[in-house]
Amino acid sequence: ERRHLRHNSPHAIKMAALANMNAVTLGSRVAGRNVAARSSSVAARPARATVVVRAAATTERKFNFSAGPACLPLDVLEEMKEDLVNYKGTGMSVMEMSHRGKDFMKIASEAEADFRELVGIPDNYKVLFLQGGASSQFAAIPMNLAPEGGVADFIVTGAWGKKALEEAGKYMDTNVVATSKASNFSTIPPVSEWKLTPGAKFVHICSNETIGGVEFKDIPDTGDVPLVADMSSNYLSKPIDVKRYGVIYGGVQKNIGPAGMAIVIVRDDLIGKTNPNCPTMFDYQLMADNESMYNTPPCYTMYASGLVFKKLLKMGGLEAVEKLNQAKAKLLYDAIDGSDGYYVSPVQPEYRSLMNVPFTLSGGEDLEKKFLKEADALGLESLKGHRSVGGARASIYNAMPVEGVQTLVDFMAEFKAKN
């Protein structure tokens, strides 16, 4: 038996209207719970919830707040399900197709074309669909952009920037021009304090740190030195001014598709001078020359990602996506900030991520454990924070519906009232 969630407050009605306006049919219901609407603010004591416990259907979907792999748009999943055994009358699953056959070649071609249109990629940039995720690019980037070594500058604002730094250090000299380690990566150092290296091969940033929940809101000006950005956890969450970057890369498993692929956008003049010891699969020029098919590509992930590109285009592009993401993030941050210190965001407000929202409970570790246990029982999946930060973390990527964030906020209010 399915559970129906009703939200009748003016704020909830407004949020639902926003979701409908952007055609976001991305989620489903939380199993086994019927909660009458309350104010989304945790500051005021909420009205008593009406809770009706029912047997959950086996097909009931949770609200998945995992940092990655993460939730995918429900309508995209349904289309994939429909075509799983017999894709568009071809008599084959996409998983069975030859990557050289006309059916898959059409899928791959449309995926790149739609991605270019969605992001607005200039003609002098290549798009590469590569295996190995973003972590492989930590090595591929210095091998392609600094074939003879040299120095690269790194701005370290969290765990992933640190990993990129350490990997690049195997192939070239590295310089940490700024870091927020002293604040436990809760902020981004002002650009005015950066000490950039003259003649550096590139400057590397992680545009959104998944663990710490800090996000660059402006693109730093690095002059003639190529700016390289790991966008794994905010890829396609907002418009991207591609021409400001030399390389953009990111794994797809957070905001785009199933795990197993990275998408690299690289300017033409930065490829073709690869380190002679570079593994074949890391050679950007070779991959570009072979249209990402030097070997068998991650076919099913390319297909699923292509469906997401089409969906985002139909929604109105990345401008519309950003507006929805801003509304979802505001809903959750307002609940945290309005809780009179019961819930605490560790991140400096001007750098708070729209995608990954870490928060702690001022009542301590035992209360946090209780919060996470009760949330999990209600179908609010994967809210536990990373071990280096603690507390909770809600990853509210593109595919998380407004209803999912509202349900979390309602639960936070109810938990505060009872504890």
Side-chain angles (χ1 to χ4, degrees):
E1 183 179 0
R2 292 188 62 82
R3 194 277 298 152
H4 297 282
L5 179 66
R6 300 187 301 275
H7 292 297
N8 302 312
S9 70
H11 183 73
I13 292 171
K14 179 181 177 182
M15 296 305 293
L18 179 61
N20 289 335
M21 179 183 70
N22 287 287
V24 185
T25 55
L26 301 179
S28 186
R29 305 291 194 259
V30 175
R33 193 166 185 261
N34 188 344
V35 185
R38 295 182 298 275
S39 168
S40 64
S41 173
V42 185
R45 183 180 180 88
R48 183 174 297 276
T50 301
V51 180
V52 180
V53 179
R54 299 179 176 180
T58 56
T59 57
E60 196 70 70
R61 286 179 56 79
K62 298 179 178 182
F63 288 125
N64 179 13
F65 293 93
S66 171
C71 57
L72 290 168
L74 184 57
D75 51 352
V76 168
L77 290 173
E78 293 288 0
E79 183 172 352
M80 292 166 64
K81 174 184 174 182
E82 179 70 22
D83 289 333
L84 178 62
V85 175
N86 183 1
Y87 173 75
K88 309 300 183 191
T90 62
M92 298 176 288
S93 171
V94 174
M95 289 185 282
E96 302 172 303
M97 291 178 178
S98 167
H99 63 293
R100 306 293 184 189
K102 61 179 178 62
D103 295 313
F104 184 76
M105 292 296 286
K106 183 174 184 293
I107 291 171
S109 176
E110 288 185 3
E112 179 174 342
D114 289 340
F115 182 72
R116 283 184 171 276
E117 179 183 353
L118 181 65
V119 179
I121 300 174
D123 291 340
N124 64 321
Y125 284 76
K126 303 295 186 186
V127 173
L128 308 176
F129 297 99
L130 304 176
Q131 300 181 55
S135 293
S136 291
Q137 305 315 308
F138 296 166
I141 287 166
M143 288 187 178
N144 284 273
L145 271 62
E148 298 176 355
V151 179
D153 286 343
F154 283 77
I155 293 80
V156 180
T157 54
W160 292 106
K162 183 174 181 289
K163 289 184 177 182
L165 165 74
E166 292 171 347
E167 187 68 17
K170 298 176 181 179
Y171 310 100
M172 62 188 305
D173 293 331
T174 57
N175 179 34
V176 179
V177 302
T179 179
S180 54
K181 182 179 179 180
S183 68
N184 197 27
F185 300 121
S186 61
T187 187
I188 294 176
V191 176
S192 60
E193 298 178 4
W194 296 7
K195 295 178 173 57
L196 297 173
T197 305
K201 296 297 184 179
F202 60 87
V203 177
H204 183 281
I205 64 172
C206 180
S207 64
N208 186 86
E209 283 283 357
T210 317
I211 293 173
V214 295
E215 181 175 18
F216 278 83
K217 302 301 180 180
D218 299 302
I219 304 172
D221 183 0
T222 57
D224 294 332
V225 178
L227 178 62
V228 176
D230 176 358
M231 292 190 180
S232 293
S233 54
N234 66 348
Y235 228 162
L236 305 190
S237 67
K238 58 184 179 180
I240 303 170
D241 188 356
V242 175
K243 65 181 180 295
R244 298 282 301 278
Y245 299 88
V247 180
I248 296 167
Y249 71 99
V252 301
Q253 72 277 9
K254 301 176 184 297
N255 227 9
I256 299 175
M261 186 173 75
I263 302 178
V264 175
I265 306 170
V266 57
R267 204 172 65 213
D268 283 348
D269 63 302
L270 297 177
I271 61 176
K273 301 175 183 178
T274 311
N275 184 311
N277 294 318
C278 177
T280 297
M281 297 304 297
F282 286 4
D283 186 332
Y284 287 168
Q285 184 68 64
L286 183 67
M287 288 299 171
D289 290 344
N290 287 273
E291 298 180 328
S292 303
M293 293 190 190
Y294 176 80
N295 70 333
T296 305
C299 296
Y300 203 73
T301 299
M302 289 178 68
Y303 153 69
S305 299
L307 294 181
V308 172
F309 303 153
K310 291 182 184 299
K311 177 180 180 62
L312 298 182
L313 285 168
K314 289 179 181 177
M315 284 175 58
L318 298 186
E319 291 81 4
V321 171
E322 182 182 32
K323 289 179 181 178
L324 183 60
N325 286 331
Q326 288 171 336
K328 291 187 297 182
K330 185 178 188 303
L331 180 61
L332 182 50
Y333 283 121
D334 282 353
I336 294 169
D337 293 340
S339 69
D340 295 325
Y342 190 87
Y343 300 105
V344 179
S345 167
V347 180
Q348 193 171 330
E350 57 264 43
Y351 299 115
R352 287 175 173 177
S353 169
L354 295 184
M355 298 286 97
N356 307 103
V357 183
F359 60 94
T360 58
L361 278 69
S362 59
E365 187 176 344
D366 288 341
L367 188 64
E368 288 175 345
K369 289 180 179 178
K370 183 179 180 183
F371 174 89
L372 294 169
K373 182 178 180 180
E374 292 187 13
D376 183 71
L378 292 172
L380 300 174
E381 174 72 21
S382 298
L383 279 170
K384 185 176 181 179
H386 191 272
R387 61 185 178 275
S388 64
V389 178
R393 174 179 55 177
S395 294
I396 51 175
Y397 299 122
N398 289 351
M400 173 58 66
V402 175
E403 184 187 13
V405 181
Q406 181 67 60
T407 302
L408 172 58
V409 167
D410 286 346
F411 167 70
M412 291 166 67
E414 180 180 345
F415 185 86
K416 177 178 181 290
K418 291 180 178 179
N419 297 277

